[in-house]
Amino acid sequence: MSTRTLVSPAALARPRGKAVYWTVFTTVVLLFLLAFLFPVYWMVTGAMKSPDEVARTPPTLLPEQWHLGAYADAWELMRLPQHLGNTVVQAAGAWAFQLVFCTAAAYALSRLRPVFGKVILGGILATLMVPAQALVVPKYLTVADLPLIHVSLLNDPLAVWLPAVANAFNLYLLKRFFDQLPRDVLEAAQIDGAGKLRILTSIVLPMSRPVLGVVSIFALVGVWQDFLWPLMVFPDTAKQPISVALVQLSQNIQLTVLIAAMVIASIPMVVLFLVFQRHIIAGISAGGIKG
């Protein structure tokens, strides 16, 4: 069956059709590129302007004089190494907890098929309907005084790690991927004598690298950009992540220094995306696998 398109193949085959097509295509791509990259350019160059030039109206596209000292001032005045280290610890722990527990739960619901598994999955997905703000108070009361053992997790990375495990979206994403894995491969391993745990570690996880990459990105970015929850559970300024510290320490700080600190804080996530962009794209298209 032929596929209908907005422009017929015959029209595209003509020289005029090709010229119009590539003109429109190039214009759209450049517009999208400008829309996404111009704010980044504005932020990077804004930190290189003088405080008076940043506040000037109308703004200047290029700095009249390039000042790189704002980045050094931001690194020292806003104690970025300390707060970046706090963020790395919190994000890495949340990522590890999510990867272990969400993967185990998704594998159990997908392949082990426990009793009342559909009911459990339905209850987990129902939490997606609850606004995140409605859960802030119950979560805070829980980490402030853990039930039964009565231990406070305030100012402790566990206050970020443990709530991050309860991520219904990542769990469902992993389960859907596990559901679509080829059954013949898993059955062949079971015939060869591999147990459930061996199948998970030796077959399922290597085949699931694309979706694990996507889940990892979601987990890391979710913790890196979170503001309200770390602000509540880390009253000690020395233990706050970069997202909270930028706001807490922004008073009496020049605007150029604050912009420079924002640029430095965004670099790790940009580098992470550039390194793992193949896994992200592969994970997005992983739903096409059929079992």
Side-chain angles (χ1 to χ4, degrees), residues 133-162:
Q133 294 80 0
L135 300 175
V136 169
V137 174
K139 285 199 303 183
Y140 179 81
L141 294 177
T142 301
V143 300
D145 185 15
L146 284 179
L148 300 179
I149 60 177
H150 300 291
V151 175
S152 176
L153 296 181
L154 299 182
N155 289 320
D156 193 309
L158 285 172
V160 173
W161 297 349
L162 296 182

Side-chain angles (χ1 to χ4, degrees), residues 2-162:
S2 60
T3 303
R4 291 188 176 183
T5 58
L6 186 62
V7 183
S8 65
L12 288 176
R14 301 185 189 126
R16 183 179 178 183
K18 288 183 178 180
V20 172
Y21 171 80
W22 284 109
T23 301
V24 173
F25 178 79
T26 304
T27 303
V28 171
V29 170
L30 289 177
L31 288 175
F32 272 96
L33 193 65
L34 183 64
F36 283 102
L37 293 184
F38 184 76
V40 178
Y41 163 80
W42 192 258
M43 184 171 63
V44 173
T45 57
M48 301 180 185
K49 299 177 182 178
S50 64
D52 294 335
E53 188 179 358
V54 170
R56 185 183 304 172
T57 303
T60 56
L61 188 62
L62 287 173
E64 295 178 351
Q65 292 184 350
W66 298 83
H67 303 276
L68 299 178
Y71 288 98
D73 293 340
W75 188 261
E76 295 181 3
L77 295 178
M78 304 194 75
R79 295 176 287 174
L80 292 187
Q82 178 184 5
H83 295 293
L84 282 173
N86 295 339
T87 310
V88 169
V89 170
Q90 296 167 23
W95 165 77
F97 271 70
Q98 278 195 50
L99 218 58
V100 172
F101 290 101
C102 287
T103 300
Y107 179 72
L109 292 172
S110 175
R111 291 299 169 181
L112 303 185
R113 302 186 184 278
V115 181
F116 303 117
K118 292 184 178 180
V119 176
I120 296 172
L121 179 62
I124 293 173
L125 295 180
T127 61
L128 293 174
M129 308 298 175
V130 182
Q133 294 80 0
L135 300 175
V136 169
V137 174
K139 285 199 303 183
Y140 179 81
L141 294 177
T142 301
V143 300
D145 185 15
L146 284 179
L148 300 179
I149 60 177
H150 300 291
V151 175
S152 176
L153 296 181
L154 299 182
N155 289 320
D156 193 309
L158 285 172
V160 173
W161 297 349
L162 296 182

Side-chain angles (χ1 to χ4, degrees), residues 159-222:
V160 173
W161 297 349
L162 296 182
V165 174
N167 192 310
F169 178 78
N170 284 346
L171 190 150
Y172 182 69
L173 191 67
L174 288 164
K175 181 189 177 299
R176 288 296 300 164
F177 186 88
F178 293 160
D179 288 342
Q180 297 172 355
L181 290 177
R183 292 185 179 180
D184 52 353
V185 176
L186 304 180
E187 291 174 355
Q190 193 171 6
I191 293 173
D192 289 341
K196 299 294 185 182
L197 184 60
R198 180 64 182 275
I199 293 176
L200 172 64
T201 56
S202 299
I203 297 177
V204 174
L205 292 183
M207 295 176 66
S208 304
R209 275 184 288 183
V211 72
L212 291 177
V214 173
V215 169
S216 299
I217 292 295
F218 287 163
L220 292 172
V221 172

